[in-house]
Amino acid sequence: MHRQMCWLSKSGNDGEKILYLQATSNQPWRPYTAFPQFAVPDYQIPGGSKGWATYQKLLKAGWTLVPSARANEFGTQTQYSESMVQNQ
């Protein structure tokens, strides 16, 4: 299985990074909140990383963390998928 995760900026620049997931290689990167079957509630820590609890769970389950630069090779797909789910 493909199952990869990375930390990307929500706004597409150097802003706050959140966890993005890619369950299969033919799907775009999407925020972890778009995957209710994998996401777990965030820790209630002021300033904490969005998706950190999900990252820990998926890392233990065998998901692979990839560098943000590698995920950004497909930046247009990332921005498109972000706009599709930002109202959730």
Side-chain angles (χ1 to χ4, degrees):
M1 285 194 260
H2 184 72
R3 299 192 173 193
Q4 294 182 329
M5 45 187 180
C6 68
W7 295 96
L8 296 172
S9 174
K10 278 178 69 171
S11 60
N13 55 26
D14 290 334
E16 175 189 13
K17 292 188 177 186
I18 67 167
L19 185 67
Y20 274 71
L21 306 176
Q22 187 179 48
T24 62
S25 60
N26 62 343
Q27 290 183 337
W29 288 96
R30 298 188 319 178
Y32 72 103
T33 53
F35 294 91
Q37 69 273 33
F38 301 127
V40 295
D42 287 326
Y43 297 122
Q44 298 301 309
I45 300 172
S49 296
K50 300 294 184 193
W52 182 249
T54 298
Y55 164 78
Q56 291 176 314
K57 172 192 169 188
L58 297 179
L59 189 63
K60 288 181 182 179
W63 285 58
T64 304
L65 180 66
V66 299
S68 297
R70 182 165 176 244
N72 281 330
E73 291 174 6
F74 306 101
T76 55
Q77 287 182 330
T78 301
Q79 291 172 356
Y80 174 72
S81 60
E82 168 67 19
S83 66
M84 289 173 36
V85 296
Q86 77 183 46
N87 292 329
Q88 293 183 351

